[in-house]
Amino acid sequence: DLIPESHRIPFKSRLGSILMKKMDPDRLDDHLFEVVSLRNSSIDSVPGDERVSMAKMNLRAGMKAAENGSFDMAEVYFKAGREQLGDAGWKDEPDMTIQLYSEGANASLFCGSLDTMGRLIDEVLAKDIPIEAKLRCYDIKMRALTAASDWAQIIDIGMDVRRQLGQPVIRNKPVPLWKIMKEY
C-alpha cells in the first residue's frame, strides 16, 4: 500500500515506459511480456508520438506469445496494438495494421473466439488493399471453415482468391445425373 490506488495504473505505465527506454535490446526481449504489460496498463496515457512504437512492441509481444502457444495472451497484445494505432493505422502504418489484425484473427481462432476472428478478418477484407495483403486473412478464414467442415465455402473462397490473383479458375459446370451414374 505504498502507492495509493489512484496512482497505481499511471505508475505502472510510467515504469514500463522507463524500462522500455533504458533496457538494452537483448534484456528487453527477455522481459518483453512484463515491460509491454506494464506499459499497456494505461493505454490512454501513451502520447501520440509513442503510439506507433507501442503498437510495434505489442505486435512483437503478440508474435512471441503466439510462438509459445499462448494464444490468449497473443490476442491481448494484438488488440492493444490495434488500439494504439486506431483507425489512423490503416493510413499511417498499413503493413503493421494488417499484421495486427490478421495475427489477432489467428490468435482468436486458436482461442475459439470465432466472432472476434470473423470481425477482424471482415475488416481486413473490406479494405481497399492489394489481394496479397489479404492472403493471411483468407488462409485463416479457410482454416476456420475447415474445422467446421464447410467444404463448399472453402472452395468458393479459394476460387475467388485465384480469380483476384489473376489465376485461371475451373468453372463449376453442372453434370447430368446420368453421366455420374455411367461412371460408376
Side-chain angles (χ1 to χ4, degrees):
D1 292 333
L2 295 174
I3 301 171
E5 187 73 35
S6 62
H7 292 96
R8 286 184 190 166
I9 291 177
F11 177 77
K12 286 180 180 180
S13 181
R14 180 78 178 125
L15 179 62
S17 182
I18 291 168
L19 289 172
M20 199 176 296
K21 290 176 185 172
K22 300 289 182 178
M23 279 187 164
D24 64 85
D26 290 335
R27 190 143 184 242
L28 179 60
D29 197 50
D30 291 341
H31 300 281
L32 185 64
F33 299 133
E34 294 89 355
V35 173
V36 174
S37 293
L38 282 169
R39 192 66 181 106
N40 283 346
S41 63
S42 182
I43 287 180
D44 298 334
S45 70
V46 176
D49 58 335
E50 289 183 28
R51 288 189 174 272
V52 172
S53 66
M54 270 307 300
K56 282 181 188 171
M57 293 300 289
N58 275 289
L59 176 59
R60 195 167 136 196
M63 295 300 288
K64 187 174 179 180
E67 287 171 12
N68 293 331
S70 182
F71 294 102
D72 53 340
M73 287 307 302
E75 199 174 20
V76 169
Y77 290 122
F78 294 135
K79 181 180 181 192
R82 291 190 307 271
E83 289 174 358
Q84 288 293 338
L85 293 178
D87 289 335
W90 290 107
K91 184 175 67 85
D92 300 336
E93 296 288 335
D95 292 338
M96 186 182 353
T97 303
I98 291 166
Q99 196 170 7
L100 284 164
Y101 273 79
S102 61
E103 295 304 328
N106 189 51
S108 294
L109 171 62
F110 278 100
C111 289
S113 306
L114 300 182
D115 291 338
T116 302
M117 178 208 69
R119 184 181 51 77
L120 294 172
I121 287 173
D122 289 346
E123 190 157 347
V124 172
L125 298 181
K127 295 293 179 187
D128 186 23
I129 54 178
I131 179 67
E132 292 80 8
K134 298 177 180 182
L135 289 177
R136 177 79 170 131
C137 283
Y138 279 119
D139 174 53
I140 296 163
K141 187 172 188 173
M142 290 171 72
R143 281 191 289 127
L145 291 169
T146 299
S149 299
D150 193 345
W151 311 116
Q153 193 169 357
I154 293 168
I155 291 170
D156 289 345
I157 291 170
M159 296 294 202
D160 183 48
V161 169
R162 286 185 61 88
R163 195 174 301 107
Q164 290 180 55
L165 288 168
Q167 299 292 320
V169 178
I170 299 169
R171 294 175 201 225
N172 189 7
K173 297 188 284 186
V175 178
L177 182 60
W178 66 269
K179 211 172 196 179
I180 295 171
M181 297 300 285
K182 179 182 167 189
E183 291 186 18
Y184 282 104

